[in-house]
Amino acid sequence: MEKLKEVEYSNLESKFQNLKSILDISSISPKRVSAEFSILNALKNEEELFNEFTTTIFYTKSHDGKLAALINQYIISKYFNADVKIVEIDNVDVKDRIKLKKSFGDFMQKLSNTLLEQDKEYTFFAPIGGYKVLTYLAYVVGSFFGYQTGYLYEDAQVLMKIPPMPIKIDLEWIVESKDLLLKLKRNVLTFNELSDDEKEFIEDNSFFFEIVEDAKDTLVTLNVYGDFLISDYLETKKLISEDVLNTIRNSDSKFVLEKILEMVKKIKLYYSSYEKPRSLENSIKHNFQWGFEFPYLYKGGNGKNVFRALWDYNQYSDTITIYKIWLNHDDYENDCNYIKNNSFNTNVKLVEID
């Protein structure tokens, strides 16, 4: 039976060709197509769509999921003259907690890749449809990268825009608990295996953990939310210069460490992508905008606060080196002008940080 389902699933695209012949685009009622179509139609009515644009639809690896994606892809591409991409994610199996966590992780990773391939200024992010937990996780991903979220009241066709939720990660908390977090990323542990301090830590920060009552004990592991936010930082070796160390000590260290976490995540995401996202490259390799090739320049911040950093990454040893950090825009511009016309000395003493 399973083999038959797989054959049917793989042949869906060819079967869909027959369905297209009965889809009359001219007779479409915008409110009755799909939530995806309605969002785009509302944007069109508010004159917020380009004449030609690209949109991406995610679908679960199931017969119904793929068929819905193919129908949406066809109708939207014809009606709006759009380039519509569809991205397959693991099927959500709510009966299997291990597979469920894996599928959520797959979704968050692919959504991250897709968002970071776009220009934030011209991207409308609308996590709609599917399981409510996927909408929640999508909002977390979008907020982490600073995207506002779109939502449509379907009956009235009223478009809403929700600003990103400020996600602040206490990196000192992560560093102090690094060994425990890495154990819980790789394994499912029982509460009996944990110390009293570890139990208290997990109970105080339960939003990062998957906690399941077993017949004999309580099982715990890092949940998909915690995994998404902190895994890259935990597993990557980080070397910094003494100049960077002094900057951290003499400034708002929580802000700096939070931005380092964000930088590490974006660098790892860039190097893990087969097709290197252009918009992500503009952020992590901003040095090319200045006219120098090395070290790489990371451009970050949160609107009010500046964060720039010179860095390098060794994929083989999974090591990120940070040579310099700027928190002042004038100092950053003066120094980059100097580097462009001269060079930057990377032969400096480095120390490892957790």
Side-chain angles (χ1 to χ4, degrees):
M1 187 67 179
E2 284 300 316
K3 287 184 177 179
L4 179 60
K5 286 181 180 178
E6 284 297 319
V7 170
E8 289 178 354
Y9 182 75
S10 64
N11 288 338
L12 257 180
E13 217 153 333
S14 60
K15 289 182 177 180
F16 177 68
Q17 301 303 319
N18 298 326
L19 180 60
K20 285 198 295 187
S21 62
I22 62 172
L23 287 172
D24 183 4
I25 305 301
S26 63
S27 65
I28 280 176
S29 172
K31 291 185 180 180
R32 301 182 62 184
V33 180
S34 65
E36 294 84 357
F37 185 97
S38 293
I39 283 272
L40 292 169
N41 196 55
L43 287 169
K44 181 181 179 181
N45 291 338
E46 294 190 12
E47 299 183 348
E48 293 192 30
L49 278 184
F50 290 108
N51 291 331
E52 295 181 4
F53 64 92
T54 299
T55 190
T56 302
I57 297 173
F58 287 78
Y59 68 94
T60 54
K61 187 179 179 181
S62 64
H63 185 282
D64 291 344
K66 186 167 186 179
L67 185 58
L70 288 169
I71 292 172
N72 264 303
Q73 182 184 42
Y74 176 74
I75 294 177
I76 290 171
S77 65
K78 294 293 183 183
Y79 191 90
F80 295 103
N81 189 34
D83 177 16
V84 184
K85 299 177 181 178
I86 58 175
V87 176
E88 181 182 275
I89 59 171
D90 288 344
N91 197 23
V92 177
D93 185 353
V94 295
K95 298 177 183 178
D96 189 323
R97 298 186 76 94
I98 294 174
K99 286 183 179 178
L100 190 64
K101 181 181 177 183
K102 182 177 179 295
S103 63
F104 286 163
D106 177 63
F107 170 65
M108 294 180 87
Q109 186 66 32
K110 286 178 178 175
L111 178 58
S112 297
N113 292 347
T114 301
L115 280 177
L116 290 170
E117 288 172 1
Q118 314 307 320
D119 187 323
K120 192 186 303 181
E121 186 178 352
Y122 301 106
T123 300
F124 188 83
F125 173 51
I128 52 178
Y131 289 94
K132 287 184 173 63
V133 67
L134 290 180
T135 303
Y136 161 72
L137 293 174
Y139 182 60
V140 169
V141 174
S143 291
F144 184 82
F145 293 117
Y147 285 82
Q148 67 175 358
T149 297
Y151 177 78
L152 187 74
Y153 288 106
E154 287 193 61
D155 289 341
Q157 297 287 289
V158 176
L159 195 62
M160 304 291 293
K161 297 174 184 177
I162 306 165
M165 170 179 60
I167 297 179
K168 294 191 177 295
I169 308 299
D170 188 344
L171 213 54
E172 293 170 357
W173 167 86
I174 292 175
V175 169
E176 289 170 5
S177 316
K178 180 178 179 180
D179 292 340
L180 173 63
L181 291 168
L182 281 173
K183 275 196 301 185
L184 291 171
K185 171 182 169 53
R186 296 166 184 154
N187 304 286
V188 176
L189 303 179
T190 66
F191 259 51
N192 283 336
E193 299 175 73
L194 305 174
S195 68
D196 289 340
D197 287 343
E198 289 173 334
K199 291 176 186 175
E200 184 179 355
F201 173 80
I202 290 169
E203 288 169 351
D204 289 344
N205 300 280
S206 58
F207 49 85
F208 269 122
F209 303 99
E210 187 84 17
I211 302 172
V212 181
E213 297 291 337
D214 188 71
K216 299 179 181 178
D217 201 348
T218 300
L219 308 177
V220 60
T221 188
L222 194 66
N223 67 19
V224 66
Y225 175 58
D227 195 12
F228 168 76
L229 287 177
I230 63 182
S231 285
D232 287 329
Y233 187 90
L234 288 175
E235 296 178 333
T236 301
K237 184 177 180 180
K238 296 162 290 294
L239 299 176
I240 65 172
S241 67
E242 290 185 326
D243 182 68
V244 171
L245 187 60
N246 288 332
T247 301
I248 294 172
R249 287 172 175 168
N250 298 321
S251 61
D252 181 353
S253 61
K254 287 192 174 182
F255 168 77
V256 175
L257 292 173
E258 178 189 325
K259 291 303 159 186
I260 289 176
L261 179 149
E262 183 181 290
M263 181 176 78
V264 169
K265 183 159 195 64
K266 288 185 178 181
I267 290 169
K268 293 289 293 290
L269 189 57
Y270 176 82
Y271 280 95
S272 66
S273 301
Y274 178 72
E275 293 183 3
K276 302 295 185 276
R278 173 61 65 85
S279 61
L280 192 53
E281 188 172 88
N282 290 339
S283 171
I284 68 171
K285 294 186 176 180
H286 195 62
N287 49 291
F288 294 120
Q289 304 295 316
W290 280 95
F292 62 91
E293 292 193 3
F294 190 80
Y296 300 125
L297 175 63
Y298 175 80
K299 180 182 179 181
N302 59 11
K304 295 180 181 178
N305 299 306
V306 172
F307 181 85
R308 304 287 188 270
L310 290 177
W311 63 277
D312 190 20
Y313 178 55
N314 186 318
Q315 278 185 274
Y316 300 103
S317 62
D318 192 15
T319 302
I320 289 177
T321 303
I322 307 173
Y323 298 106
K324 188 171 181 62
I325 284 174
W326 292 275
L327 304 175
N328 178 282
H329 201 274
D330 289 340
D331 292 343
Y332 148 71
E333 286 199 336
N334 290 335
D335 288 348
C336 282
N337 274 317
Y338 177 84
I339 295 169
K340 177 178 67 174
N341 297 317
N342 299 276
S343 63
F344 182 84
N345 180 23
T346 58
N347 187 24
V348 293
K349 183 178 179 182
L350 300 170
V351 294
E352 184 176 356
I353 59 170
D354 287 327

